[in-house]
Amino acid sequence: RRRRRNRRLGWTAAGLGAVAVAVVAVLAVQASARAAQVGPANTRSDGIVLSGDGTAISAARTTALDGGEQPTATVVDRTSGVLDLVLYVDYRSPDAAALWTANGSAIQEWVTAGYATLEVHPLALAGDSDGGTAQGYAARAAGALGCVADTAPDSALAVHSALLAAQPDLDADGLDPDDLVTLVQDAGVTGTAVADCVTGGDFTDWAAEVTDRAADAVPFDVGAVSTSPVLLVGGEEYTGAVDDADALLAFVEEVSTRLSEEAAAAAGATDGATDGATDAATEGAAEGATAEG
């Protein structure tokens, strides 16, 4: 009986050992995959794209950038009637906070209703009080948004708004990781994965990298982005006062009207070409029938 018992215990121990080895192997593979991953999921453009269905806002899903990959600019259909807004933002920037205080509610309403999309590009600009380093607050805040984009992307706009709302009260060091976790949780993201990501600073290096890429060049022929905020409306940069809601609304209406007219003109040209081709084909068929007759 002792021998049988010892053999059973031996088999159990061997089984547990095999499980432990398997778990370690899986964790090692996951760690290796994470190390090769440059950015969060859902940010292949270096930003997160948000759109609405009339009642709620959701984020476009994409895979993460892997090591050595370059970001892919978001493809925009400007004939759809949905206006594309692109915002480059440093969460330590007073001007970014002023822009969102004056216009954030309106932008959120446009996106929710489906009139516009919003693509948020978080930045950690050099020259701020924390030096723009991977350890500084600007990068921690941008990295925190990256954590949300990675595992709770539909909550990105709520966290974005909370980060800008916190800006006026920041001290020289900004929010530490624990305070950032509290901010994210107060914005409605309570998952442990996001909290661990923020605490661990998983995407602060990514924040520095996207900032460098924005300083090199961004889409829509705007050139380099090295200030905050930069807001593009239908591919055109808004240059009015950041705290003037009327000025932004007028610019949005101007760009939207121009894009609608261009789309209508293009559609008319296409219809005209189609009608001409149809008429020519009809006439050709009629002539052919007459000749045969």
Side-chain angles (χ1 to χ4, degrees):
R1 283 197 299 271
R2 267 200 311 274
R3 285 196 298 272
R4 284 196 298 271
R5 183 191 61 194
N6 290 342
R7 281 199 299 271
R8 284 197 299 271
L9 291 175
W11 293 334
T12 301
L16 291 174
V19 170
V21 170
V23 169
V24 170
V26 169
L27 291 175
V29 169
Q30 290 176 341
S32 176
R34 191 66 172 177
Q37 182 174 305
V38 173
N42 311 310
T43 61
R44 286 197 70 82
S45 65
D46 279 350
I48 183 167
V49 180
L50 305 166
S51 60
D53 61 3
T55 58
I57 292 175
S58 60
R61 268 45 174 190
T62 71
T63 56
L65 286 176
D66 291 329
E69 281 191 293
Q70 291 298 308
T72 304
T74 301
V75 177
V76 177
D77 178 10
R78 298 213 170 96
T79 66
S80 66
V82 178
L83 193 63
D84 56 295
L85 309 178
V86 182
L87 178 63
Y88 291 82
V89 57
D90 183 320
Y91 291 110
R92 195 167 185 94
S93 163
D95 284 345
L99 173 73
W100 202 253
T101 298
N103 302 286
S105 295
I107 291 174
Q108 184 166 338
E109 289 177 4
W110 300 339
V111 176
T112 301
Y115 302 147
T117 60
L118 175 64
E119 183 171 347
V120 179
H121 290 253
L123 302 178
L125 296 170
D128 58 23
S129 62
D130 60 18
T133 65
Q135 291 75 35
Y137 174 69
R140 290 199 302 273
L145 189 74
C147 291
V148 175
D150 191 51
T151 56
D154 293 341
S155 298
L157 189 59
V159 174
H160 161 83
S161 298
L163 286 166
L164 288 173
Q167 196 281 330
D169 298 324
L170 295 176
D171 60 21
D173 296 325
L175 301 178
D176 64 26
D178 290 338
D179 290 333
L180 275 173
V181 169
T182 299
L183 180 147
V184 168
Q185 291 175 339
D186 288 345
V189 184
T190 57
T192 57
V194 173
D196 291 344
C197 176
V198 173
T199 302
D202 291 5
F203 291 121
T204 54
D205 287 341
W206 168 79
E209 290 168 5
V210 299
T211 303
D212 290 342
R213 284 196 285 265
D216 182 36
V218 300
F220 310 122
D221 298 324
V222 173
V225 171
S226 56
T227 60
S228 170
V230 171
L231 176 62
L232 307 177
V233 178
E236 300 181 35
E237 185 176 1
Y238 171 67
T239 57
V242 294
D243 58 352
D244 190 336
D246 292 335
L248 177 59
L249 178 59
F251 183 71
V252 166
E253 291 175 342
E254 175 189 338
V255 172
S256 182
T257 299
R258 182 162 59 251
L259 290 176
S260 296
E261 291 172 350
E262 291 173 356
T270 301
D271 291 343
T274 301
D275 291 344
T278 301
D279 292 344
T282 301
E283 290 174 4
E287 291 173 358
T290 300
E292 289 176 3

